[in-house]
Structures are given as structure tokens and as C-alpha cells.
Amino acid sequence: MATRKNAKKVSSKAKFNFELDEKSTNKTVKTAKKEMKKMSAGSIILIIVLLIVGVAGGIFAGHYMTRNDCFEIIGQDELTLTLDEVYVDEGVHVISFNRDVSDKVNVETNLTVNEDGTYSAEEVGTYYMIYTVDDFKYSGIFSVQKIRLITFVESSEGGE
């Protein structure tokens, strides 16, 4: 029996605390509304001007931080080689938020990768190298990739 009495007391205390919190919240809201009504037109204009200045400052800072950003292929975008040649990749140059992140470049290719880091092909055709960057700007905000096409043709026989 003592347990039920304690449980009823606890639940009625919780109900009272909840009602008290709800009343104090309503009082706070009413007080805030009264204070807003008391604000002069000059205060409201000042708040709007400060908001506009803050937004303009944010845009300027964002532009300033990214003014030198780039994602460029070094060398030619399209190449033609013969089957007996190997290709040495020149890579890409990537600047993100004024930092060189070229070391974060991932390369996907359908070429054969040789032990010395060069690329070659076994058959005539056009092959690709897709460069992507694991970086907030180029993989998060903007999904950017660069593609280099390498066409391998038959080597000419004889010295024509």
C-alpha cells in the first residue's frame, strides 16, 4: 500500500512541475512579445542592416577564400599514342579553399598500369582516365570529375 501512495505523490508532483514549466514558458513568450512591441522602428532597422551586413560579409569571405580554386588537367585532355608507347600521367592540379589537395586525387582508368607507374594498352581503342578528388568542395558541395581520353592506334611498320 505504501508503494501506491508514493507513486501517486510522484505522479502528481510531475504533473505539477509540467504545468509550472508550461506556465513559465507562456509567461516568457508573453514577455518577449511585449518587449518586441516596445522596440522602436530604429531598432528594427538596425537589426535588418546588421543582418544584411552579415550576409554580405559572409558572401565576400566565401568568395575571398575560394578565388584561386581550380581543378585542372595538366597536359592535354585528349592524346593519341601508338600501341608500342607507354603513357606517363601528368596528373591534375587541384586547389580547394586555397589549399593544394592534389594528393587527394583518385584515378580510375581502363588502361593497364605498369609496375613503373606508366600506363599502356594491349589493343587499339580509346581509353579513359577519370580524376576525382576526395575533398569537401569537389566531392561534397560540387561533384566534379575530369576525364582524359587516350586513343591507342596501330604502330606504323617500316619507316614510311
Side-chain angles (χ1 to χ4, degrees):
M1 283 277 207
T3 319
R4 285 188 182 176
K5 283 184 179 180
N6 288 341
K8 285 182 182 179
K9 286 180 183 178
V10 170
S11 67
S12 61
K13 282 183 180 179
K15 183 178 178 183
F16 175 73
N17 287 337
F18 176 73
E19 288 172 359
L20 181 66
D21 288 343
E22 195 173 289
K23 287 178 185 175
S24 65
T25 303
N26 288 338
K27 186 177 180 183
T28 306
V29 170
K30 286 178 184 176
T31 306
K33 284 182 180 179
K34 284 180 187 176
E35 292 298 321
M36 286 293 290
K37 287 180 183 177
K38 289 181 185 177
M39 287 182 71
S40 66
S43 298
I44 294 173
I45 291 172
L46 179 64
I47 290 171
I48 292 172
V49 167
L50 290 175
L51 179 65
I52 292 170
V53 168
V55 168
I59 291 170
F60 175 75
H63 175 71
Y64 182 77
M65 287 175 49
T66 60
R67 71 184 184 283
N68 295 325
D69 289 2
C70 66
F71 189 160
E72 302 171 333
I73 290 180
I74 298 172
Q76 298 176 354
D77 292 353
E78 296 183 25
L79 301 166
T80 303
L81 302 172
T82 59
L83 281 176
D84 57 348
E85 291 181 284
V86 294
Y87 173 68
V88 178
D89 186 28
E90 297 176 59
V92 292
H93 180 67
V94 184
I95 303 290
S96 175
F97 296 107
N98 284 332
R99 291 178 322 164
D100 188 357
V101 292
S102 299
D103 58 336
K104 293 184 177 182
V105 173
N106 300 316
V107 181
E108 179 185 334
T109 185
N110 58 350
L111 288 166
T112 303
V113 181
N114 301 322
E115 290 178 10
D116 60 356
T118 60
Y119 298 90
S120 61
E122 303 294 323
E123 299 177 4
V124 171
T126 301
Y127 298 85
Y128 62 84
M129 295 184 82
I130 300 174
Y131 302 94
T132 56
V133 180
D134 186 23
D135 179 67
F136 175 73
K137 181 175 182 179
Y138 293 113
S139 66
I141 298 173
F142 308 108
S143 181
V144 178
Q145 63 183 14
K146 296 290 183 174
I147 301 173
R148 185 186 317 262
L149 296 176
I150 305 165
T151 304
F152 282 88
V153 295
E154 289 286 335
S155 56
S156 59
E157 295 184 21
E160 293 180 34

